[in-house]
Amino acid sequence: GAVVSQHPSWVICKSGTSVKIECRSLDFQATTMFWYRQFPKQSLMLMATSNEGSKATYEQGVEKDKFLINHASLTLSTLTVTSAHPEDSSFYICSAPDWGNQETQYFGPGTRLLVL
Amino acid sequence: GQQVMQIPQYQHVQEGEDFTTYCNSSTTLSNIQWYKQRPGGHPVFLIQLVKSGEVKKQKRLTFQFGEAKKNSSLHITATQTTDVGTYFCAGGVDSGYALNFGKGTSLLVTP
């Protein structure tokens, strides 16, 4: 089946630094990718929709200047958490719909971010 | 906006007992998907339902999509310890669009 990878799988950083998370579709092209955030014992919350070749669409309450998204190619989207703070510590997961298959979304393995 | 409510939040069963989790949407869905997330893991796709009144089975798991396409259920027959995890439903407005996840039902199965 289709595979989505994320890198890094976990990261620890100091408050005030920026962290980049990559999401790649390994064996299919994705013009759209989604970024979710999951706090401990909570559900996944959509942060933004990443669109190849155009600006990302952010959900209400998500700061676009803080969570920078770049969909550089049909297989890569990046999420950069700028000036990270401890409250940004979370599990970040990307997904990509496989338009050529059953239009199901495939999730990456997630990135655990801990901001000290 | 669209909301997906899921109940119960937690369920603790003895191995061999049945388990059901329910999802309800405030709006009509084009499709509903179910995911399982093991502790520390990422959501794994289980199934997608598209048609009104659709019922699909995967071994001991039975998935239903309501006639009005606003509710869905996942039923596990004779639970096993390997069924432990959090089950999420996720409603889609249209194919390929972002999903709205329910809060999940955490299932604990004790031998």
Side-chain angles (χ1 to χ4, degrees):
Chain A
V3 177
V4 173
S5 70
Q6 273 185 249
H7 177 81
S9 57
W10 60 271
V11 58
I12 301 173
C13 69
K14 293 182 179 180
S15 184
T17 60
S18 294
V19 176
K20 179 185 283 188
I21 303 171
E22 293 184 348
C23 177
R24 293 181 184 272
S25 57
L26 297 185
D27 51 1
F28 66 102
Q29 294 181 333
T31 56
T32 301
M33 291 183 177
F34 303 106
W35 287 96
Y36 297 85
R37 179 167 53 186
Q38 185 179 33
F39 291 107
K41 298 184 179 181
Q42 294 189 25
S43 185
L44 286 81
M45 296 297 296
L46 177 67
M47 297 176 65
T49 302
S50 174
N51 304 297
E52 190 271 336
S54 63
K55 293 181 179 180
T57 305
Y58 291 83
E59 295 301 298
Q60 189 174 8
V62 178
E63 299 176 57
K64 63 179 181 180
D65 294 330
K66 180 170 183 63
F67 298 100
L68 301 178
I69 291 174
N70 181 26
H71 202 132
S73 72
L74 288 172
T75 59
L76 172 64
S77 174
T78 59
L79 168 67
T80 301
V81 183
T82 62
S83 187
H85 292 283
E87 56 265 30
D88 298 324
S89 299
S90 185
F91 190 43
Y92 292 87
I93 305 175
C94 69
S95 73
D98 183 4
W99 295 93
N101 198 345
Q102 54 182 339
E103 299 183 341
T104 302
Q105 293 202 27
Y106 299 100
F107 284 82
T111 297
R112 294 193 182 277
L113 170 64
L114 177 61
V115 184
L116 302 176
Chain B
Q2 177 192 2
Q3 291 186 348
V4 176
M5 308 299 292
Q6 188 172 357
I7 58 170
Q9 187 175 3
Y10 302 102
Q11 188 80 56
H12 181 188
V13 300
Q14 293 288 327
E15 189 172 26
E17 294 181 336
D18 293 354
F19 159 77
T20 305
T21 173
Y22 302 89
C23 272
N24 286 287
S25 170
S26 57
T27 58
T28 302
L29 302 169
S30 66
N31 69 91
I32 194 158
Q33 302 181 16
W34 285 90
Y35 294 81
K36 177 182 179 181
Q37 185 175 23
R38 294 183 182 275
H42 64 278
V44 174
F45 173 79
L46 294 178
I47 208 160
Q48 174 174 279
L49 304 173
V50 179
K51 299 178 182 178
S52 170
E54 189 170 15
V55 177
K56 288 187 177 181
K57 291 188 176 183
Q58 290 180 350
K59 297 183 180 179
R60 295 179 293 102
L61 276 61
T62 302
F63 304 84
Q64 292 186 317
F65 200 12
E67 294 289 341
K69 300 183 73 173
K70 286 186 174 183
N71 57 76
S72 180
S73 66
L74 158 59
H75 179 82
I76 302 178
T77 304
T79 56
Q80 300 175 359
T81 54
T82 53
D83 295 326
V84 167
T86 300
Y87 293 84
F88 292 98
C89 63
V93 174
D94 202 350
S95 301
Y97 283 76
L99 302 172
N100 283 299
F101 281 80
K103 292 186 181 295
T105 297
S106 294
L107 173 64
L108 178 62
V109 181
T110 51

